[in-house]
Amino acid sequence: MYMTDFIGYAAACFTTFALVPQIMRIWRLKEARDVSMFMPVMIGIGSTLWTIYGFLIASIPVVAANSVSLVVALLTISFTMKYR
Amino acid sequence: MYMTDFIGYAAACFTTFALVPQIMRIWRLKEARDVSMFMPVMIGIGSTLWTIYGFLIASIPVVAANSVSLVVALLTISFTMKYR
């Protein structure tokens, strides 16, 4: 079980923070023209549903990862809107 | 259980195909300058780990979603490389 949770948390780190370099790139270039708005919107909706699913299957890594993912997705949406 | 699986599959649809509009946007603009390369790379590594985690917790939606996500992430990486 320990190893399972470890893999879940490692997976969580990668997918949760995947949009952070995208936010940083938009911030650095002050430009988001090539970034699809549907991408963070879909991740936001998906993260919300994964969080609910995680509660239902009682998986703490799924809940933890996806609730943070939702925040990161909302940040990406606001950055993409600002620099579009 | 039926409702739990349904939510898992709905979540899977959104997060699995989240990068598809990004691929389409790169294809349409023939430009990926504003797209961070770390983003699909992190999603690719994360999807691989989530797939392993899904096997370990015996969650078919987690396995199904993330193995397809990996393919989509690899496609995004190749499109981003081509149009950078």
Side-chain angles (χ1 to χ4, degrees), chain A residues 34, chain B residues 23 25-35 37 76-84:
Chain A
D34 308 340
Chain B
I23 294 170
R25 189 165 180 92
I26 294 170
W27 173 257
R28 191 158 56 81
L29 299 176
K30 310 284 180 219
E31 181 63 62
R33 194 186 65 107
D34 309 338
V35 180
M37 182 61 89
T76 309
I77 292 166
S78 65
F79 269 74
T80 304
M81 283 174 76
K82 187 168 158 64
Y83 293 107
R84 176 55 59 88

Side-chain angles (χ1 to χ4, degrees), chain B residues 38-54:
Chain B
F38 289 105
M39 187 259 292
V41 167
M42 284 177 71
I43 291 175
I45 296 168
S47 298
T48 304
L49 293 171
W50 275 127
T51 303
I52 296 165
Y53 179 73

